[in-house]
Amino acid sequence: MGVPQLDRRPRLRRRTIAISQTLLIGATVLALAACSSGKATTTSDGDDSTAADASSGKSAGGTVSIVVIGGSSSDPFWSSVKRGGQDAAKAYGSKAKVTFLGPQNYDNLGPDAAKLAQTALSQNPDIVVGPDWVPDSQDAGYKAITAKGVPLIIYNSGGTAAAKDVGALKYVGSDDEIAGEAGGKAFAEAGVKHVLCVNTQPGTANQEARCKGIKEGAVSGGSTSTQLALPAANFGNPSAVTQAVKAALLKDSSIDGVVTVGVVDADSSAAAIKSASKTDSIKLGTFDVSNSQLTRIKDGSQLFAIDQQPYLQGFQSVAQAYQYVAYGLQVPANPDLTGPALITKDNVDKAISGTKLGVR
């Protein structure tokens, strides 16, 4: 998922569309915990939370305590992030204790995300991993973490500028503006002239950056793009999003492309296109990946999906956090980009294989 953050970071100049990452040998154990209004409660799921039995690590008894701030446990994107952390954990067994904190939903994201940083620090972790979705709300909390001498890794949203601003070690994830440009260019190359970017989290940095990148990529190919900003409460509400997108399509007949900032809204937009009787004239694209997106890409009813590879975000962020605390190791690549990887009909079969393994 690309949860929010206001676009205060400079554009990175790396223009690759498919990015190959070297997987790091490392691991931790990831536990999901639901958090409502910033009050996180840790839950144990199988071997998700374990105590160390080795002498490595900074904490007493050798345990390395890692707190990971992420999205809602009901968001499928974060299931892939969790799976990445779980797979990384297999290399270290019980040498780390990882707690995953997340909001119950995204209706009040800024204030809730700010409270999650406070909750993370209150648990006296050895290191914190978190996304910078809403800098105006979150940065004070992240700066409080680093001011206490607790290392911090920014991942998923924010980029290197946000990481530097709050004193974090580095950034792991995709660059949303570059990802958007890749999608905008793909639309233009397919002959789309007017792309509607459906944003159910307006005002949040990574989603605004995605729509901005879509427009830049479209314009570079001689096309254009406008944004349909919907209330955050519509996120995950298929009926509301479907009706809003349908109304926009019927109002403006020049729209011949639709892109959504997340997979749930892509399903709703696909329904809207069909309901508006425009399946033959409008091409669909989305950020992030799900089985329904891949099915549509394979049968030709969806043009592409822009994958930021959340599995890698979970794997690499948690593994690097453990290695930094336990061994003093630090990967020099900054940003450590996990995307964008554009999934089209040409490579969709490989992506489908990945979903069967639970990593896409």
Side-chain angles (χ1 to χ4, degrees):
M1 151 183 168
V3 194
Q5 58 158 150
L6 294 176
D7 195 8
R8 295 169 17 185
R9 55 202 160 88
R11 289 174 56 193
L12 302 177
R13 295 301 176 187
R14 182 169 177 177
R15 301 292 177 180
T16 53
I17 290 183
I19 296 177
S20 175
Q21 292 287 344
T22 301
L23 293 179
L24 305 172
I25 299 175
T28 67
V29 186
L30 194 59
L32 262 180
C35 172
S36 177
S37 298
K39 294 182 179 180
T41 55
T42 304
T43 58
S44 179
D45 181 9
D47 64 348
D48 282 359
S49 182
T50 57
D53 59 2
S55 60
S56 65
K58 183 170 80 172
S59 299
T63 302
V64 175
S65 173
I66 304 169
V67 174
V68 180
I69 298 171
S72 170
S73 60
S74 63
D75 187 336
F77 176 92
W78 293 96
S79 295
S80 294
V81 174
K82 178 185 175 183
R83 176 63 184 271
Q86 288 177 321
D87 282 357
K90 294 175 183 177
Y92 288 117
S94 60
K95 295 179 182 179
K97 177 182 178 181
V98 182
T99 303
F100 193 97
L101 305 178
Q104 187 174 28
N105 53 53
Y106 304 126
D107 294 348
N108 197 34
L109 185 63
D112 285 353
K115 292 176 183 177
L116 288 173
Q118 298 171 6
T119 301
L121 184 58
S122 72
Q123 296 191 9
N124 299 313
D126 290 322
I127 190 166
V128 174
V129 176
D132 200 8
W133 295 317
V134 190
D136 288 346
S137 297
Q138 293 179 273
D139 283 3
Y142 283 148
K143 288 177 181 178
I145 289 172
T146 55
K148 289 288 187 180
V150 178
L152 171 69
I153 292 175
I154 295 296
Y155 82 132
N156 177 257
S157 298
T160 54
K164 181 178 180 180
D165 188 49
V166 298
L169 297 172
K170 67 184 306 179
Y171 172 71
V172 179
S174 182
D175 181 276
D176 291 303
E177 192 171 331
I178 290 177
E181 288 183 34
K185 289 177 181 178
F187 273 125
E189 290 170 359
V192 174
K193 296 301 182 184
H194 182 181
V195 182
L196 182 70
C197 187
V198 181
N199 187 355
T200 50
Q201 295 167 31
T204 58
N206 64 329
Q207 310 301 34
E208 294 289 347
R210 288 179 170 190
C211 285
K212 180 182 179 183
I214 286 288
K215 186 171 185 176
E216 291 175 345
V219 169
S220 72
S223 303
T224 190
S225 177
T226 55
Q227 182 178 157
L228 176 63
L230 300 177
N234 283 2
F235 181 85
N237 185 334
S239 178
V241 175
T242 297
Q243 293 304 314
V245 173
K246 178 182 178 180
L249 298 181
L250 294 176
K251 182 179 179 180
D252 189 345
S253 60
S254 71
I255 297 172
D256 54 354
V258 174
V259 64
T260 65
V261 295
V263 294
V264 176
D265 295 334
D267 292 341
S268 301
S269 294
I273 293 171
K274 182 177 180 180
S275 180
S277 300
K278 291 180 176 288
T279 54
D280 293 333
S281 59
I282 295 180
K283 290 182 169 59
L284 177 65
T286 187
F287 288 84
D288 302 329
V289 181
S290 71
N291 287 329
S292 57
Q293 317 310 312
L294 298 178
T295 298
R296 285 197 294 267
I297 292 171
K298 188 173 178 63
D299 67 24
S301 60
Q302 182 165 323
L303 187 60
F304 62 79
I306 305 171
D307 189 10
Q308 63 175 296
Q309 302 184 121
Y311 174 89
L312 287 182
Q313 291 181 16
F315 189 104
Q316 296 186 185
S317 296
V318 176
Q320 290 185 50
Y322 181 89
Q323 291 172 7
Y324 180 80
V325 173
Y327 309 136
L329 298 176
Q330 188 171 1
V331 175
N334 187 22
D336 187 355
L337 294 180
T338 64
L342 204 66
I343 299 174
T344 66
K345 199 167 185 177
D346 292 335
N347 60 5
V348 69
D349 287 337
K350 288 185 178 179
I352 290 173
S353 296
T355 62
K356 293 178 179 178
L357 297 174
V359 301
R360 297 195 84 152

